[in-house]
Amino acid sequence: MEDDDWQIVLGRGMGPLELDLDRESIVERLDAAEIEFDGPKEDPSYLELEDGDLELTFEEEEPHRLLQIIASDDRTLVNGQPVIDRRVQEVIDEWGIAADDTLWRLEPAYNDDPRGSVEPPPTPVTNRELIINGTLWVKSYGVGLKVYRGEVEQIAIRMPIHVPAYGSGPLTDAQREILCQAELPNAFDAPTSAKKTLVGWLQTLLTVVCVIAIGIIAWQGVQFQQRWNNATMVEGTVVAVDPPPPATWPDTLTVEYADGDGKTHQVVWKPADVYTTREIGEKVQVHYLPEEPDKPMGPARVRDAAFLVYVPYGIAAAAIYLALTVLLNVGFMIASRLVPADAAVAE
């Protein structure tokens, strides 16, 4: 279509598309203007133009007169001004339309009967629903502004007599107040309920406590490992193995050693504590802390002292955190079902 064809002529149509003209004549005009279109042969009530930017609805009965044009191209003009992607109240004010000349319908125009014979909405509709996904009709223009999140997404063109007879009321001051917000998307976010806010705070608290707990565990682990890195080391002797020879690999080793004060101690280790030691009389390194000489570690364990002692605490802290998180969210879901939800947005 030429640029001039995107200008809407109120009560008539746009370009070669003339309302109330029969389908055959519309097709002849499109062919003459070399405008490509597509429409199922079995459904003479529909045509699509310009890669879907224009949709035409015809009467189902012959001669299939044109009832509605839906345009979503931003070249579409009304009174010489663009409409698409603009806030709906700005368009209405620019046209000088009075509130009582407007009518909201929640159903989009392509679901609404283009002959205007529609019933009143069965249930009340909120301002939020209308502004997010409603159609505001200008009755005297025969124009429906399909709104998405406050802005015009499509424009429906009909004869004024085919504007819906019933709807959800005119554009109101309360709706204008929402539409005039500087950050319009914020108007569509449902307020967080008190229950959900409490759950959020509790979840944050749990996360903070878990992070602090794991941090403390990690810090203590580092300190613990440093102490073992500097632990006292003495030489011990394997004095017994179980099972005894001729078994090749014992299950346990009894190691005897003397601490710095000369006091003798014995400790039972597994072979993994001392690498490959397995025979009576073999020498082995024994590491112990000065305050606990009777609780030593073997050479194969001392480098992983913190890992062996503190990693289980970290795993336990994480497991407790996950369990409490699941309980918190399950409890919230149960409470939400038992107690009516808070109102999402003011009507």
Side-chain angles (χ1 to χ4, degrees), residues 120-159:
T123 58
V125 180
T126 66
N127 288 337
R128 180 173 181 271
E129 290 175 309
L130 294 172
I131 293 173
I132 287 179
N133 199 28
T135 299
L136 184 65
W137 286 93
V138 179
K139 293 183 283 188
S140 62
Y141 277 24
V143 166
L145 302 175
K146 171 66 178 65
V147 178
Y148 177 69
R149 299 180 73 86
E151 295 185 346
V152 179
E153 182 181 49
Q154 292 179 327
I155 181 169
I157 310 157
R158 300 180 183 178
M159 299 286 285

Side-chain angles (χ1 to χ4, degrees), residues 13 20 59 90 95 134 151 155 223 242 290 300 326 338 340 345:
D20 206 38
E59 281 187 327
E90 293 177 358
W95 294 352
E151 295 185 346
I155 181 169
Q223 300 298 313
D242 184 29
V326 171
L338 295 177
V345 174

Side-chain angles (χ1 to χ4, degrees), residues 10 97 114 123 172 177 238 254 300 343:
L10 299 174
I97 302 299
T123 58
T172 65
E177 185 176 345
V238 178
T254 301

